[in-house]
Amino acid sequence: MHHEHHLKSSDTIRDIVIGMSDGLTVPFALAAGLSGAITSSNIVVTAGIAEIVAGSIAMGLGGFLAGKTESDHYASELKREYDEVERVPEEEKFEVKEVFAGFGLSKQLQNEIAEEMAKDKDKWVDFMMRYELGLEKPEANRASQSAITIGLSYIIGGIIPLSPYFFIKDSQQALYYSCAITSVCLFVFGYFKSKVTGQPAFTGALKVLIIGALAAAAAFGMAKLINGGKL
C-alpha cells in the first residue's frame, strides 16, 4: 500500500523552536562573555537568571502580540468578506470563478460551483478566506498558548548553558563544561528542528551549533578585549 508522509508542523512546534533556539544561544553567549571578564560563577548565575527571566518574558510577550495580531487580522478580514458577499455578491462569485479557473476547470463548472457555493454564506466566506486571502482561522487562545510555550521553552533552553555555573565556583572552568553541554544540546536541537522542518538534519544541526558557538566566542572575546586581557 502507498503511504504518504507529509510534514504537519504545528504552531506549537514553531513556538518551541523559537523559544529554545534563543534560550540556548543568548544565555550561552552572556555566560561566555561574563566568564571572559570575571572569575566568580555567582555573578554569572545571577546575571544569567536575570537574563533568562527578562528574555522569557520578552519572548513570551512577543509571541502573545504576534498571536493577537494574527487573530485580529483574521477577524477584520472575516468581517470584510461577510460585508462583501452581502454588498457585491456578483464580484465575489467572479473571484470564486477565478480561483477555479486557475485549476483549469471549464467555464460551465466555474459558474455551477460559484452558484452552488453562494447558497451557503458561511462556507462561501470560509472559501474566500482560505483561497482568496490564504488565511486559516487561528486556534482559540492561540496568543496565550504561544506566549506560554515560547516563554517556557526559553527558560528550559537558558538553564542548560547556565547549569555548570551552579556547581563550579570558577567561571572560566565552568565555561568549559558549559561549552561542552551546550554544544551537544545545540547540535541535538538543530538536528531535530531540521527533521521536523524537512531539512537535511546533519547540515541543519551544524548550522545551529556554529551560530551558537560564534555568538559565545564573540561575547567571550569582546569581554577579554574590553578588560585588556589576552584571548
Side-chain angles (χ1 to χ4, degrees):
M1 293 179 66
H2 173 65
H3 296 280
E4 292 188 2
H5 299 279
H6 297 286
L7 174 66
K8 294 184 179 179
S9 181
S10 69
D11 290 333
T12 301
I13 293 175
R14 184 196 67 183
D15 291 341
I16 291 172
V17 167
I18 291 171
M20 281 290 290
S21 59
D22 278 10
L24 280 168
T25 305
V26 178
F28 181 37
L30 174 67
L34 290 173
S35 298
I38 58 176
T39 58
S40 172
S41 287
N42 287 335
I43 298 175
V44 177
V45 169
T46 301
I49 290 175
E51 195 287 324
I52 290 171
V53 171
S56 63
I57 292 172
M59 293 288 292
L61 180 59
F64 178 83
L65 293 175
K68 190 70 169 61
T69 300
E70 181 182 353
S71 296
D72 290 345
H73 175 61
Y74 184 88
S76 173
E77 291 297 328
L78 184 67
K79 184 175 182 295
R80 185 177 66 83
E81 283 297 327
Y82 269 110
D83 179 62
E84 287 180 351
V85 298
E86 287 284 356
R87 290 189 301 103
V88 286
E90 293 305 318
E91 289 184 19
E92 292 298 294
K93 288 179 185 178
F94 179 74
E95 290 174 355
V96 171
K97 296 173 189 178
E98 282 187 320
V99 171
F100 286 103
F103 291 107
L105 272 64
S106 66
K107 287 279 188 181
Q108 181 181 347
L109 276 175
Q110 292 172 33
N111 292 328
E112 290 176 0
I113 292 172
E115 293 298 330
E116 189 67 28
M117 190 170 290
K119 295 177 182 178
D120 189 325
K121 194 177 297 181
D122 292 332
K123 290 182 179 179
W124 188 7
V125 170
D126 183 62
F127 176 86
M128 300 306 292
M129 293 293 288
R130 290 170 181 265
Y131 295 98
E132 181 195 11
L133 302 177
L135 296 176
E136 294 285 343
K137 184 178 180 180
E139 296 177 15
N141 301 318
R142 171 68 196 137
S144 299
Q145 292 172 2
S146 181
I148 292 170
T149 303
I150 292 175
L152 288 177
S153 298
Y154 189 94
I155 291 170
I156 293 169
I159 289 294
I160 291 171
L162 205 61
S163 58
Y165 294 90
F166 288 102
F167 307 103
I168 301 171
K169 291 184 178 180
D170 182 82
S171 64
Q172 297 201 5
Q173 185 180 354
L175 177 61
Y176 298 136
Y177 289 95
S178 179
C179 287
I181 294 169
T182 308
S183 294
V184 171
C185 290
L186 283 168
F187 186 87
V188 171
F189 170 73
Y191 182 88
F192 283 106
K193 185 185 79 167
S194 300
K195 290 283 284 184
V196 166
T197 55
Q199 304 300 312
F202 186 77
T203 304
L206 279 180
K207 287 179 181 178
V208 172
L209 174 58
I210 290 170
I211 290 170
L214 286 175
F220 181 82
M222 185 59 65
K224 279 289 191 181
L225 288 173
I226 291 173
N227 282 272
K230 294 182 180 180
L231 297 180

